[in-house]
Every structure is written in C-alpha cells, then in structure tokens.
Amino acid sequence: MTTTTNPRGPSSADVRAELTRRRFRPAETAFKLALQACLAIGLAFLVALLAFAVTKGWHRLDARLWENMPTGRVSRAGEAGVQSAIWGTVWVISLTAAICLPTGVLAAIYLEEYADNTRWYNRLLELNIQNLAGVPSIVFGILGLGLIARVIGLGFTVATAAVVLSLLVLPTVIIASREAIRAVPQSIRHASYALGATRWQTVSRQVLPAAVPGIATGSILALSRAIGEAAPLILLGAVTFIRFNPDSLLSAYTTLPIQIYNLIKEPQAEFQELAAAAIVLMLVVLLAMNSIAIFVRNRFTKRW
Amino acid sequence: ACGGSGESSGEPSGAAQLSGDIKIDGSSTVGPLSKAAADIFADEQPKVNVTVGISGTGGGFKKFCNGETDISDASRPIKDEEKKACADKGITFTELIVANDALTVVVNKEATWVDCLTVAQLKAVWEPDSKVDNWNQIDPKFPNEPLKLYGAGTDSGTFDYFTAAINGKEKASRTNYTPSEDDNVLVQGVAASKGGMGYFGYTYFEENADKLKALKIDGGAGCVAPSTATAQDGTYKPLARPLFVYVAKASAAKEHVRTFVDFYIANIDEVVKEAKYVPLTAAQKTTLAAEFEAFKKG
Amino acid sequence: MTSTSQKVAGIPAAPSVRRGRPRLGEKAIEALLVLAAIVSVATTVGIVISLAVPTVEFFGTVSLGEFVTETLWTPLFAEKHYGVLPLLVATLIVTAIAVTIAIPVGLGSAIYLSEYAGNRTRAFLKPILEILAGIPTVVYGFFALLAVNPWLRDIWPSQTKPEFQNMLVAGIAMGLMIVPTVASLAEDAMTAVPRSLREGAYALASTKMQVSTRVVLPAALSGIVAAIVLGISRALGETMIVTIAAGLKTDGIIVNPIDGAATMTAYIAGAGQGDLPVDSLDYLTIFAVGSTLFLFTLALNALSIRMVRRFREVYE
Amino acid sequence: MTYPEDPMDTTIVPPRLSAGLSLHPSGATHGGENTPVIDLADVAVWYGDYQAVRGVSMPVARNQITAMIGPSGCGKSTVLRSLNRMNDLIGGARVTGVVSYHGQDLYARDVDPIEVRRRIGMVFQKPNPFPKSIYDNVTYGLKVNKMDTGRTDDLVEQALRGAALWDEVKDKLKTSALALSGGQQQRLCIARTIAVRPEVILMDEPCSALDPIATGKIEDLMHELAASYTIVIVTHNMQQAARVSHRTAFFTAELDDAGVRHGRLVEFNDTGRIFTNPADKRTEDYITGRFG
Amino acid sequence: MTYPEDPMDTTIVPPRLSAGLSLHPSGATHGGENTPVIDLADVAVWYGDYQAVRGVSMPVARNQITAMIGPSGCGKSTVLRSLNRMNDLIGGARVTGVVSYHGQDLYARDVDPIEVRRRIGMVFQKPNPFPKSIYDNVTYGLKVNKMDTGRTDDLVEQALRGAALWDEVKDKLKTSALALSGGQQQRLCIARTIAVRPEVILMDEPCSALDPIATGKIEDLMHELAASYTIVIVTHNMQQAARVSHRTAFFTAELDDAGVRHGRLVEFNDTGRIFTNPADKRTEDYITGRFG
Ligand SMILES: Nc1ncnc2c1ncn2[C@@H]1O[C@H](COP(=O)(O)OP(=O)(O)OP(=O)(O)O)[C@@H](O)[C@H]1O
Ligand SMILES: Nc1ncnc2c1ncn2[C@@H]1O[C@H](COP(=O)(O)OP(=O)(O)OP(=O)(O)O)[C@@H](O)[C@H]1O
Ligand SMILES: [Mg+2]
Ligand SMILES: [Mg+2]
Ligand SMILES: O=P([O-])([O-])[O-]
C-alpha cells in the first residue's frame, strides 16, 4: 500500500530525535512571564497599599482610636480618635443590613421561584436589577439628596444614609441570592412538591436553608461594600464635624470612610496618621468580612 | 472652664445637664473656631449635639436664612441680599466677631525671586480672564517659571473676600486655577510646584510655614507681612479681616444654644488658640461680650 | 365503590383532591415577594425622577446647546459658564488611563488564573485579587494622593512635575481598583469556554499560549468585552479616588494628564458636600451633571448586559 | 394497543385484594385486582408546542405494580409526571385528555395539585434526600402536611421499617442523609414518601443510579410495598420490569408525517404476556433487543 | 487477559492479519502493515490516588484501525488519552508503564508533548469545532505548527477532501463552522486533524453524538483514512467496532479486594476473533449483551 500523504516508516532514531529535540519557545516563556507580571502588579499594589497604611498609621493603632475627638482641638490632635465614626458606621450598616437583606432575599426568591420569566414585566425587572448594579454610587447619593432627604424629608440622618446604602447594594444582594437559590438542585424542589408541600413550604424549608451559605456570602460582600462607601454619604451630610455618637435613626452621623476623607484634608500630620490608622481598622474589618465570606463559600456551599 | 456671663452656664462643671442639637454651618475658615468651641463644650455638656458643617460662608448663609441652622460661620460680613433673604423668612440674628485673620498669599519655598507683591500685581494675576501664566509676566525680572494657581473654593467667604479686595468685585476671578474648600490641597499644591501661588487663611500658613513662604503685600503703604500684629491692627491691607459668627434669634432663645454661645464667648481665647487664629484684641473681646448680652436682652 | 370496600382494603377513605380552603398565607407571601422585587424598580424610578425634575428645571435656565458645546464650566464664579465638556473630558481621560492599566493587567491575570494556574493556586490567588475589589475607594484615594503621587513625582523624568492632584495618579489608582472586576469577569468568561475546545486545540499540537490567545480568548470575546465595559462603567462612576487625587479644577478643557481636573463625579461630590441650598441654579448643576453621568453609565451597562447575554448564548 | 380488560368497568368490581397479596412477590397471579386507582384516557402531554407523547389510555390497578418501559425519549417520565401533576412545575407543560383518580379528573379546575401530590407520591431516578438529617427527611412530609401528630417518632420508625431501612439507620437518625449510600438514600426517599401515606407511589427509574445490590433491595421493597400501595414504575431495564411488575406498558416514539417524534403507548398488558407473547411486533423487537 | 500473540514480539513476527481483515467491509487487505506504531506495556493510569486503569499491554499496528470497547467507566478514554499525552492536561493524572511510539517512550523526561500531539492527533466524542470559520478551523493546526507554507488553500482543500467534506462546504469556507450539522462538524474535526498530517489519529467515540446517517459517513471515512493513517477508535457500539476495526481491545472494570473499581484490558485480538470466538468468558458475555 502506498500513500503520498504520510511517510511510511520513520525510523526510531528519527522519531526520538524529533520528539526530544529541545524546543526553546521564547514567546511562550515571555507570555507566561507577562501574565505572572500582571498578577504581580495587582498583588504588589495591594501589598504596597497595606504596608503604607500600616506603617503610616502604626503608632496610632491603639486605644486612642476609640477616643471621641475628631478635628476640633488642634492642640490635642495627638489624642484624637474616631469613636463617633465607628458608632456611626455601626448604626448605618446595621440599619442597612436590616433593610437590604430581607428585601434583597425576598426579591431574589420572587425572581427565582415565583416569577414566570416569559412575562415581559419579569424580564424588565431582571434587566432593571442588572442595570441598577451598574449605576454609580454618587447617583444614589443624588437620589438620597433629592428625594429621600429633601422631598420625603428624612434629612441628613442615619435613616437616610441607611436607605441609600441599602438601595445601592440591593442589586448585589439580589444577584448573589439568586445565584445561591439557583444552585439548589431542582430535584430537591421536586422531592418537596412530591411530598405535598406548597410552594412557600418548599422555598422556606428546603430551598432557603440550602441556599443560606451562598446568600450569606453575597450579603457579607455586599455589606462590606456598603461599609466602605463614601461617595453617596458625602452628599448626605456625613462630612460635617460630629463628635457625638448617633442615638437614634434620626440622628446626625458620620462614618469611618467619611471621617478618613475628612482627616486626609487636615493639615496636621497627626490627623494624617489617624486617617491611616482608621484605614487599617477599616481594612481589618473588611478583610475579616471577606475572609468569613470566602470561608462560608468554601466550607458550607454544597456541591450537589 | 469658667462660665462667663450666661445665666445657666454660670456654674462650673456642676451646671445643669442640657441636651439638644445645635447646627452650625458656613465658612471653612471659621469652621475650626466653631469646631474647637464645640469640642471643648462637649466636655461640659456631652448631651448637646453640635454639628459643624463647612459649606462656605455663602452656602452657610443660604441655609441660615432658610432657618436650617442655628449659627452661621462667616469669613466676611453678611451681604445685603443675604440679609434680605433672612428677613424674608423672618430670621433675625446678631453678628459677632470671634477672631482675626490675615488672608495670606503663599508661594513655593523655592520661589526665591519674590518677597512682596503689590495689589495691582495680584490683580493682574487673579482678575477674570487674566492671561498671566508665567512669573515673568508679573514682573519681567522674575524668572521664566510657569505659574500654578491655587485658590479658595467658589462657595467660600475667603473667595468672596479675596476677589472683592483684590479684583474689586466679589466672585470675579480667573477660573483656570485649582479651587478647593480644602486648604490642605492648596498647601500641598503650592508646596509641590515651584511656580505655585495660592491664598488662604493665615493659620493654615502658620501651620505650614516650613513648606511655604508667605508674601508681603503692598496695599499702597509699602510691603507688610501677614502676622498676628498686622492682622490685629489692620495694617496688613487689604487682606486683614475679621471672622464672624451669626446667631439666629430664635435659636438663641433656646437654652442650650444660648449656653453654647455664652461658652464660646467666655472661652474665646482658648478657642482661638486651638484653632490657631489671630486672637481678638481686648477691645474686640469687650464688644463681643456686650453685643451678645444686648442681643439676648433685646 | 363503597366506603366499606375502602376500609377492607386499608386504603384512605374516598380521596378528595379538591381545593379546600384557599391558601391565604401563600398569597400573602407572594404579595410580599412581589413588593420586595418592586423596590428595585422603585429605586430606578426614584433615580430617574430625582435626576430628571431638577435637570429639566436646569435646562429651563441654561440652554442644552451651551451645556454640550461650551468649553468652560464655572457655575460658581461671578462669570458663569455651563459647558459640561471640561468635566466630560477629564472623566474620559481618567477613565482612559484606568482602562489602559486595567485591561492588560486584568486580562493577563484572568488568562493566568484560567489557563495557567493550577486549582490550588487559583483558589488561593482569586480571593486575594477579590480583596482588591473590596477596599474602599477612599483608601485608594488616600494611597494615590499620599504615596503614589510623591513616588511618581520622584521618578518623573521631565522638569514639569505632575501637580499635587492630577489625573494620571487618579487614573492609575482607579485602574488598579477595577483590575479585579475585569479579571474576575473575564476569567468567568474564559472558564465558560468548553473544555472540549481547549482539548481540540491541544490535540492539534498547540502550546498553552496558542490555546489561550487563539482559541480561548476569541471564544470568550463577548464576555471579555462585557468585563471591560463594566470596568469602564465603574471607572466612569468612581467618585472618591478622583475627588481626592485628581482635584476639582474646572479650568476649561484640560488634557494634560499630569494636571489636575474635576471629573463629573468629583464635581458632584465637591459641590454637593458644601451642601448647596435647594432651588439655586448651583444646586441644579449637580443634577444636570448627574443626569449626564447616569446616561453614560446606562448606555455602557446596556452594552455590557448584551455582551454577557451573547457569550452565555454561545455555549448554553 | 392491547387492552386486556375494560378499565372503565373496574369501579364496580368488588375488592379482591387479599388474593393478590398472598401471592406476591413469589410468582403472583393478578386476576381481579384491577380496580383502577388512576385511569388515563387519551392523554397527551405538550411541552409548549411540542407534543411529547399522545394517545395514552391505560388504567393503573390498585395494589399492583405497573411498569412503563420503552426507549429513551418515548415519554415515560412525561406520562408518569402527569399522574401527580408534577408537570405543572415545568413551564409550558400541558396535559390534554383525562387523567382520573378515583373517578375525579385530576386536571379539573378546582383540583388542588398539592392535595394530589399528597395522595400520589413520587420517587425519583436519582436519590434526592434533603440535605438534612435522616429523621428530618422522613418527617418533612408529615410537617408540611400538618400530620405531625405527636407520634412522630413512631411514624418515622414505621416509615423506615416500611422502606427496609430501619435496621441500618436506627442508630444515626440525626445524622445527615447525605452520608448514606446511594441505595440507602433511595430507600430513604421511599420512606419519606410512604411516611405521608399516599395511596399511589410513582417511581421514575428508581434504580438507575444504583448498583446491583442496592437495586435488588429496592426491588424486594417494591414487592413488599405493593401489598399496601399502588405503584407505577418507569424503568429502562426490561429485566427489572419483568421481575417486579404485574402489568407493563410499552411506549415507543415514532416520527409523524412532519418528521416530529411523538411518544405513544404501544401495548399494555400483564407483564407475563408482554414478555412472553407480545401482541405488537415493535414490542417484541424491543424486548428481544432488536430495536433501537 | 488473553493475548493471542506476544505483543512485544510483533515487530519480528511476520504479518498474520489477513484472517481478521477479511471481515472488513471494504475487503481491503493490509498484510505487512502491523509494525506497531504505538506499543503499550503494562500501562496504568492514575487520577490522583485513584488507579483508573491498569495492566494494559497492547500494540497499535500501522495503517490499521484498532478499536477499544468495553462498558462505561472501564478506562477506554483514559487509555486513549494516554497515547498522545492528553492526560497531561488533567490535573493529577499520571501514567505508569511504558507507552512507546516507534520505540520512543512517550513519557520520557525529554519528550515534548506538543510534538507528540502533532504526530498523534485526536478526534473527540462531541464534535468540537472552534467558533471560527470552516477555513480557519482547518488552518488552525497549520498555523500553530508553523506549517503555513503559502499553499494553505490547497492544504485546506486536501484536508477537507480527505475528510469527505469538501463538496459539502466548498462554497462556504468562510462561514462559521458552528452552522454545520453534527456529522459535518465531526468530519470537519477530522479534516482539521489530518491537515497537520499526523501519523496516528485517535478517536474517542467519534460517532456517539451523531445520527445513523452521519455515523455511516464517518465510518466510511475511517476506512479510507486507514490507507494512510493509523487509527485508534474508542466506541461503545459493538456493531461499530465490528464494522470498522481490524483489531479490537476489550476492556472491563472490576472491583479489587478493597472494593475499588479498576479498568483492565481483558482481551486483545483480531476483530473477527473477538466477535466470533472470544477467548474470555467476560468478552463473550459483553458481546452477547449478557453483561452489565
Ligand atoms: N421539560 C421539557 N421541555 C421540553 N421537552 C421535554 C421536556 N422534558 C422532556 N421533553 C421531551 O419529551 C420527550 C419525552 O421525554 P421523557 O423524559 O418523558 O422521555 P423518557 O421516556 O422518560 O426518556 P428517558 O428514558 O431518557 O428518561 C423527549 O423528546 C424529551 O426531549
Ligand atoms: N479527570 C478524571 N479525574 C478522576 N477520575 C477520572 C477522570 N476521568 C475519568 N475518571 C475515572 O476513570 C475511570 C475511567 O474513565 P474513562 O473516562 O476512561 O472511562 P470510559 O471507558 O471512557 O467510559 P465511557 O464509556 O463512559 O466514556 C472512571 O472510573 C472515571 O470515573
Ligand atoms: Mg425519563
Ligand atoms: Mg469515554
Ligand atoms: O470657607 P470660607 O471661610 O472661605 O467661606
């Protein structure tokens, strides 16, 4: 048998030579190095940022952070702390969680378990959420300023800030919760229905508990975004000098990122250091939240 | 702290615990004074929640005359149209001078070629549509160095005062400079560029005297450097200015606000010191106390 | 069939499968769920209303023509001009710098994670990269202004050093801020490329780089474009970094990246923190600029959503 | 289609259950136990515009095991799901014809599908225990049906015994059901189903995810359950159908004139007949492996 | 394991294939072409700690079609992928024993897997054309192997003719490959593979995603390709193995003492022998359908 397309028998030696010829592929190596460099840039930036904040804020990372004296007395700049900002953050974020988590999870349940997505209004709803996720946070600040603070008249209070932050992270919570709910296999729902369960029984007793880790992960990440958010609050009166802790939903407030922004603007080096220390504090909280989220995701998310 | 003239804040720390909110807003120049006052006052009356905004003098008055704030900080006297706005809403108030300031024109430390500028030269730089963007355009003797300008934010009393004093018309200014309500930006900005020039309150300069150089100003009577003395006696012309707070009548009727203002006045020296401003002269202090007493009565 | 027979058989009595009492609880819950879903629609409506009403009022005083053609933005000076172009140009410049950094770094990281890294490396590196996404933007601003900029000025080759606040440094910080967004979405898109395509390519004696660049990248293209578009939209809307690091200068159209200039978001934040009094034209400028920003990001979002949908369709 | 007895008449036939029970599972004869619990008359199921299966008429006799066999895609699962309205859960699915349960049309307007599923339970192809404890899996149906009578522990034991699982799990009722083996999980799913005491149990290829040993256990269990329950099983395994069922329905899918495949019922008869003496050539081909 | 001839000796044993080959539909004879191109000696493949298949020794003779059959999970694909080092791409996969190609150990330290894959091409179960044009699909391999000689158009035509696809696509070379039918896509994947002129083509169930007509075309194509290429095909379809292959390897999976399943080669022989007169009981059971 003959063929023109394929050489008959290559000798073993030929094959060995060709298979084992050392091929230097410079482009290949360069490409891989370039990719590693890309990752390295991102990581180096992260490390540099952390190192900068930590070294700059190092000797303010002590009990003085808990003092309640922002930028009032220059002579005592060295003793200033950010207590009222910490409390403000706690108030605002707690309220944000209380508003956006139930709303987000319920909306996600509606979209995943109840909505007939062949209906135009449900598709519109979905599109709307995707869109909202991309609206800049400062625009939410404008919503808060124009509508919630002024027209509705909540003023520049903890409540306004929490409502605005809730709306801001709502799409994130909805999208994460939907994904978690979707990850619960259909077979679990069918098993529940086949036992005579109603839709809500199926959702509340089977789907939600199984989706909790995913929802929790998404919610933690959403809240950690809310904690760090400053832009909308700038429009909502958080930049004012406040040295008291909020005591009600209608209290004036300031938050950590805003206080950091204020401190950066002060000329005294002590205040810059305090800003760095506050940043470290905030980063520690955020890293902890991120780690919890990742832990929950890895540990509790079921692989069906 | 020693209570001065107020009835309720008369007693030392044993004074009755008051509560309530006090809203202060306005000049970023005066802000540090009110913040210091609020900060010290909080040791005495922790339940009185004082907030100090820094919307700038103009912004402060708009809110003040809208009845949104109790006290308005100002780095220039209230204008007629602002008075009218207040009157329209039935808001009456008193004006109190709480400190002195010298608007300081600063340049980079390395700008060795210049020590003093005349008002006319400043006007040439800052007037609307000014085409001056190099030091040698100010004075041919100056080196060829691009001019980088930093100035007060447009909503600030400093801006109003400077434009009025130098350019002859309020808010009339060239626009191609870096404006900021945040004086630190101005300090850093000028410190960062060799050809930089900026203006802001004297205290900010004093804070950063190591980074910046203040120019003497020739207001017609020779070069005068900004200082405590020249600010107090007014020889630093035309940029020496008093700083004001305005207290609304309706607010002063409330005990906690009245107590706060009394406290502010009684402790004015400490407040000015904390905010690092040029203190009041003895005469000014007497007037201050008297005016508020009269206001409370009348 | 008689009931006796039922008992004999031990079978449930005559079965009724008819609807008993209506399940009111179920209905109430469904209504609650619908309500929760409507919140997001209400938010959009709220945003549109709160932007549109003052914007219309603004254009009652300032002509749209001036707004889009004038090259000066000085609403707060004695001589007022309302040309949004300077803000827009600054926004685009900062965004362009950010994207120039984020696209290569983000895509490079994504390719590495999806094609080169082993499972364990990926599981370790991806969360770290995601931390970058979680750092508050004030912190980026702080770092850009006080660390990156001095460093940049030190190494700057020419005599004219970057200004204290400048677009370049803001763009760099912002670029690194959106790297995780781009990387993570692009990686998702690449991971969605079926294994079979890679195997097909490897079986044709491709190297890793060839598989990555000639098969995986093109196949994931719409997803990657979506990632980039989303990155751009985040850059456009970012506020704190530019406010802190690029400043508020609105001096005509500034194109030199080492100069400071106000972006649309920085203007809004700068003018808004002074809390301009309601009903003044100054106050209305916030909303006019906000509307412009909103329209821009809306268009980008729509683009990105379509792209994502397309790449989903290809394989699903 | 071969129809051995007129199913419409079965309601008037007196109960004769004891005979069947004694015989089963050891080579039972099934004469007389054909009171249909469920009856299908000209049933067709649509997924949107696609008619997946059509023209199905067959009875499901009480306390018997009815098997559905046929090549993949012929609509066995589809028909099975139509018996307890699980098709409701699939968007666009629609059933025409009449599926009656004790004479009641299951698709009548005022029928509550939840009540239907309470009475007609289902076991799925892949064991799908809830990610909860064994105990909670069994009590779930009791709870959602408010059958939680205070004797729950007894009921759990009863159900697990019924599913021949009790001895294996009685010491670890509170451990996760996911830790059980596939066969145990499937028996747990059966226990969970019988705990709510349905009248009918539908099983869709309940052994296809299991190894031969587990399969054997489930088959034994089916025989036992047939004493008290009516069972319909879908299987792709002809041997299994032959081993466990009393009656068998053979489905196939054929192209219509437009080239679209539709499932249909080819033959329904006693299992013995289907496997030894099928009436239809297609059945014979399939049984002997000459088909598909 | 039954081994008709000592595979290690095949190089020196005179060709004795004609008996098996006479079964071949095309009636081609391949005498003298049994120099093993690839030779496996005691090959085992591990996925991490799991030994998926072990003890595989068999030759792959030149210009013949070697089929691998066996029940699902017995390791056919695993062994096939070990022949061109596709297993390298699976994290944790490891090959022990010797896979030699023209006497060269493919897993020797200094062997370049990319070069191996150039010479030993692969066609997959599901057609996997790149989402590019037909033309670009065929030229892809040429480009990455720098075989882009300027005669690309000719090479594309040759490859598509070789895959019996040319006539069907010649007018739409620039259209997307995804618009082709499944059978056309599979032939395109074959064209893409032969365009780089490998010596060996591995095919993993290349017809299982195809309808009978497309399957027929691919089988015809395999016959033609066998003239110029050495082909190894994995198939789950015994008829297909019988129809197309010269030699057949039958694999199965068995539990070891610890209850872990491992695949192993049971019997390797001429296809005719395997299907008419298998040496091993398990082979016979499988062939006749009594197994699994
Ligand atoms: N949800 C669905 N939407 C649309 N078509 C469907 C759906 N489920 C099944 N089908 C179609 O209906 C037909 C019958 O499917 P069904 O699952 O009932 O077959 P089956 O006999 O159970 O097959 P198998 O033995 O593979 O499980 C098939 O053509 C299938 O593609
Ligand atoms: N990537 C992998 N990681 C771990 N185990 C694997 C992997 N791929 C295959 N296996 C296991 O190796 C064994 C053999 O798999 P393989 O795919 O080779 O079987 P096969 O004979 O091709 O089966 P089929 O006919 O179903 O394709 C199986 O037990 C399988 O689960
Ligand atoms: Mg089925
Ligand atoms: Mg396989
Ligand atoms: O903040 P000002 O003092 O400049 O109004």
Side-chain angles (χ1 to χ4, degrees), chain C residues 39-282:
Chain C
V39 169
S40 75
V41 176
T43 308
T44 306
V45 172
I47 287 176
V48 170
I49 290 177
S50 62
L51 284 173
V53 172
T55 303
V56 166
E57 200 180 324
F58 174 81
F59 284 119
T61 316
V62 175
S63 81
L64 186 62
E66 174 177 2
F67 190 68
V68 298
T69 56
E70 202 33 283
T71 56
L72 272 178
W73 178 257
T74 57
L76 308 175
F77 285 87
E79 195 181 317
K80 296 179 189 303
H81 296 277
Y82 296 96
V84 80
L85 279 179
L87 301 179
L88 195 60
V89 168
T91 304
L92 295 180
I93 289 175
V94 177
T95 303
I97 296 169
V99 168
T100 312
I101 290 172
I103 289 180
V105 176
L107 286 192
S109 307
I111 296 175
Y112 188 82
L113 289 177
S114 103
E115 306 299 312
Y116 282 77
N119 283 341
R120 225 176 280 160
T121 325
R122 177 168 44 238
F124 170 72
L125 284 179
K126 222 184 158 187
I128 294 189
L129 208 58
E130 279 167 3
I131 290 175
L132 265 180
I135 293 179
T137 52
V138 212
V139 178
Y140 278 92
F142 172 83
F143 185 64
L145 185 74
L146 300 179
V148 181
N149 198 39
W151 169 77
L152 199 65
R153 291 163 52 84
D154 274 351
I155 63 159
W156 197 253
S158 108
Q159 269 302 308
T160 26
K161 301 274 183 187
E163 288 185 9
F164 170 65
Q165 291 174 314
N166 65 68
M167 293 186 277
L168 180 60
V169 76
I172 293 173
M174 199 192 268
L176 287 155
M177 178 202 83
I178 59 178
V179 159
T181 309
V182 175
S184 165
L185 277 176
E187 204 238 11
D188 288 348
M190 288 188 228
T191 319
V193 173
R195 222 188 125 68
S196 66
L197 280 189
R198 285 187 189 84
E199 288 194 329
Y202 280 117
L204 288 170
S206 315
T207 62
K208 242 186 184 137
M209 175 173 97
Q210 287 163 338
V211 173
S212 311
T213 56
R214 291 169 187 248
V215 175
V216 178
L217 268 189
L221 197 62
S222 50
I224 289 172
V225 171
I228 292 170
V229 171
L230 193 74
I232 295 177
S233 127
R234 287 209 50 194
L236 278 185
E238 172 46 38
T239 306
M240 295 317 292
I241 296 179
V242 284
T243 306
I244 295 172
L248 297 172
K249 183 153 64 169
T250 57
D251 164 25
I253 295 177
I254 302 169
V255 291
N256 188 349
I258 61 170
D259 287 342
T263 64
M264 294 192 279
T265 50
Y267 173 76
I268 296 171
Q273 68 182 285
D275 187 28
L276 299 164
V278 197
D279 299 335
S280 64
L281 192 56
D282 306 356

Side-chain angles (χ1 to χ4, degrees), chain B residues 7 57 100 122 160 224 240:
Chain B
E7 313 93 310
T57 304
N100 295 304
L122 281 176
D160 294 349
V224 180

Side-chain angles (χ1 to χ4, degrees), chain A residues 68-77 80 150 155-157 237 239-247 250-253 261-270 272, chain B residues 21 23-25 32 34-43 46 48-54 63 68 182-185 187-188 204 207-208 211 270 273-276:
Chain A
N68 201 353
M69 251 192 311
T71 52
R73 271 173 279 186
V74 173
S75 69
R76 293 166 71 179
R150 297 278 187 207
F156 293 157
T157 57
V239 277
T240 45
F241 168 88
I242 282 171
R243 63 149 293 171
F244 53 88
N245 301 336
D247 52 9
L250 296 179
S251 243
Y253 68 101
Y261 173 67
N262 278 340
L263 288 167
I264 296 171
K265 298 199 297 185
E266 293 294 329
Q268 288 79 12
E270 284 100 333
Q272 307 282 332
Chain B
D21 296 340
K23 282 198 165 167
I24 307 178
D25 205 339
S34 294
K35 286 186 203 174
D39 207 352
I40 304 167
F41 183 65
D43 291 345
V48 178
N49 293 339
V50 186
T51 60
V52 183
I54 43 169
K63 291 167 101 183
E68 294 174 36
D182 171 359
D183 292 339
N184 197 33
V185 168
V187 170
Q188 302 282 353
Y204 268 93
E207 281 285 314
N208 297 284
K211 299 193 195 97
E270 193 190 346
K273 189 161 149 271
E274 283 297 352
K276 299 208 168 171

Side-chain angles (χ1 to χ4, degrees), chain E residues 76-78 125 204-205 234:
Chain E
K76 306 178 296 291
S77 303
T78 301
Q125 175 168 9
D204 192 352
E205 309 195 6
V234 165

Side-chain angles (χ1 to χ4, degrees), chain B residues 199-242:
Chain B
Y199 62 88
F200 41 76
Y202 180 65
T203 35
Y204 268 93
F205 165 69
E206 262 201 328
E207 281 285 314
N208 297 284
D210 53 332
K211 299 193 195 97
L212 301 171
K213 174 166 131 181
L215 293 185
K216 295 174 187 156
I217 304 296
D218 182 354
C223 291
V224 180
S227 73
T228 305
T230 57
Q232 280 182 339
D233 63 18
T235 52
Y236 179 65
K237 267 193 210 151
L239 295 178
R241 57 171 176 171

Side-chain angles (χ1 to χ4, degrees), chain D residues 241-271:
Chain D
R243 282 194 299 268
V244 303
S245 75
H246 303 103
R247 300 208 196 179
T248 297
F250 171 64
F251 289 76
T252 187
E254 280 162 9
L255 299 183
D256 67 8
D257 299 339
V260 182
R261 286 168 68 86
H262 303 281
R264 44 166 60 258
L265 174 60
V266 173
E267 187 168 356
F268 176 72
N269 213 328
D270 283 357
T271 300

